[in-house]
Amino acid sequence: MEQIIQKAATLVEAFPYIRSFRDKIVVVKYGGSTQPDEGGSDTILTDLVFMETVGMRPVVVHGGGKEISRRLEEEGVESSWVNGLRVTDEATMRVVEETLFGVVNRRIVEGIEELGGNARGMSAKDAGIMRVRKHCAESEVNGPTEKVDIGFVGNVETIDPEPIRHACEALMIPVITPIGMGPDGKSYNVNADTAAGEIARALQAEKLVFLTDVNGLCRDPDDGETRISTLHVKDIDELVVGEIIRGGMIPKVRAGERSVKGGVTKTHIIDGRIPHSLLIEMFTREGVGTQIIQ
Ligand SMILES: Nc1ncnc2c1ncn2[C@@H]1O[C@H](COP(=O)(O)OP(=O)(O)OP(=O)(O)O)[C@@H](O)[C@H]1O
Ligand SMILES: [Mg+2]
C-alpha cells in the first residue's frame, strides 16, 4: 500500500512542473554518445513522448559522432583532424549527411512514432532553418594568425525558427539534423551542441538540455564525484584555459553560455545514460548534472 501511495506522491511532485512547462519549448540535444546502437533502445524517447503528452513542446537536435566515425571507417574514408575538428571534404560530408539525416534522424523519428508519439524529421539545411558560413580553423603550427581550410564545416550565421515552431504547433516533435546550408548552397556540418544552442536561442526556449555520456561537467571527467552542479558563465573562460573543460565538453558549455545570455531561461548538461534522466530533470526537485547560469 505504502508503495502505491509513494507513486501518487511522485505524480503530485511533478504537477507544478507540468503546469509551469505547459506549451513551453524545451530543446533537447540528444548526444550521439548516449544513443543506443542499431536496434537498441533507451528511455530518452519515452521521456520525450511523455513530455509532449503532458503539453510541453520538446524539440530534439541530435548528434551522432560515434555513428559517423563507424560509417566513415566502413566506407574506407580516412579522416584527418585540425585542432580537434574533422577535415570534412566532399566524400566525408556525403557520409556525414547520409549517416546523420538518413540513419540517425530516421531512427529517432521511428522510435518516437513506435512509442505513439508524433515526430517530424528535418534537416536544418531545409526550409532555410540554418544558414552557415565556412569555418576556418586556426593553424596548429602557426596559431590563430594562419587559417586552414577544413572543408564543409560551418559556423552558424542565421536560424529561422519558424519551420520548427510550425511542427511544434502541429503537435509534432521536431527532430533536427544539425546540417546547415552554406552560401554556395552546399551542406555544411555544424557541431550539434552549437546548433542546439542557436536553435534554443532563436526559439527563445524555456530550457535547453544536453544529454551526454558523463554525469555533467566534472573537474575530473573520470570521476563523477567531482561534478560541478552549478556553473556560472563568468567562470567558463578560466575552466577552458585550465583545460578542465576539454574536447566535446567545450561546444556544450559555450552553447550553454550563449543561450543563457540570449534569453534561454535554463540550461543543463545531464547524463543521458541514466534511465529517465530527462524526466528526473524535468519533473523533480532533485538537481542532476550541471546547470549553467548567468
Ligand atoms: N570537464 C569535463 N567534464 C565532463 N566531461 C568532459 C570534460 N571535459 C571533456 N569532457 C568530455 O566530453 C565528452 C562528451 O562530449 P562528446 O562530444 O564526446 O559527446 P556528445 O556531445 O554527447 O555526443 P555527440 O558529439 O556525438 O553528439 C565526455 O565523454 C568527456 O570525455
Ligand atoms: Mg559532441
Side-chain angles (χ1 to χ4, degrees), residues 29 31-33 63-65 212-214 216-218 221 244 246 248-249 252:
K29 177 346 182 79
S33 63
T212 186
D213 64 349
V214 277
L217 172 66
C218 301
I244 303 275
R246 298 186 295 269
M249 197 44 76
K252 267 182 250 309

Side-chain angles (χ1 to χ4, degrees), residues 110-132:
E110 283 160 14
I112 291 174
E113 302 264 339
E114 231 166 78
L115 292 164
N118 291 310
R120 179 181 287 172
M122 39 210 323
S123 168
K125 190 193 178 192
D126 299 341
I129 294 175
M130 185 160 71
R131 305 258 183 216
V132 306

Side-chain angles (χ1 to χ4, degrees), residues 197-264:
E198 296 299 324
I199 287 170
R201 226 174 112 102
L203 287 165
Q204 287 294 294
E206 189 70 13
K207 212 192 228 315
L208 167 63
V209 183
F210 295 96
L211 293 169
T212 186
D213 64 349
V214 277
N215 176 25
L217 172 66
C218 301
R219 292 205 164 266
D220 172 4
D222 295 323
D223 179 1
E225 298 285 297
T226 62
R227 172 171 65 99
I228 300 172
S229 58
T230 301
L231 174 66
H232 293 261
V233 292
K234 63 170 172 37
D235 297 331
I236 292 175
D237 284 343
E238 195 187 314
L239 290 168
V240 172
V241 172
E243 294 184 10
I244 303 275
I245 301 176
R246 298 186 295 269
M249 197 44 76
I250 295 176
K252 267 182 250 309
V253 167
R254 291 298 186 197
E257 175 180 15
R258 255 183 73 74
S259 63
V260 294
K261 285 184 176 167
V264 177

Side-chain angles (χ1 to χ4, degrees), residues 150-189:
I150 53 166
F152 296 100
V153 177
N155 288 332
V156 178
E157 188 123 273
T158 58
I159 299 280
D160 178 4
E162 283 318 307
I164 306 171
R165 226 190 279 279
H166 282 156
C168 292
E169 279 161 11
L171 303 185
M172 281 184 274
I173 303 175
V175 177
I176 305 172
T177 298
I179 290 175
M181 186 186 276
D184 52 3
K186 293 195 172 159
S187 298
Y188 283 74
N189 197 14

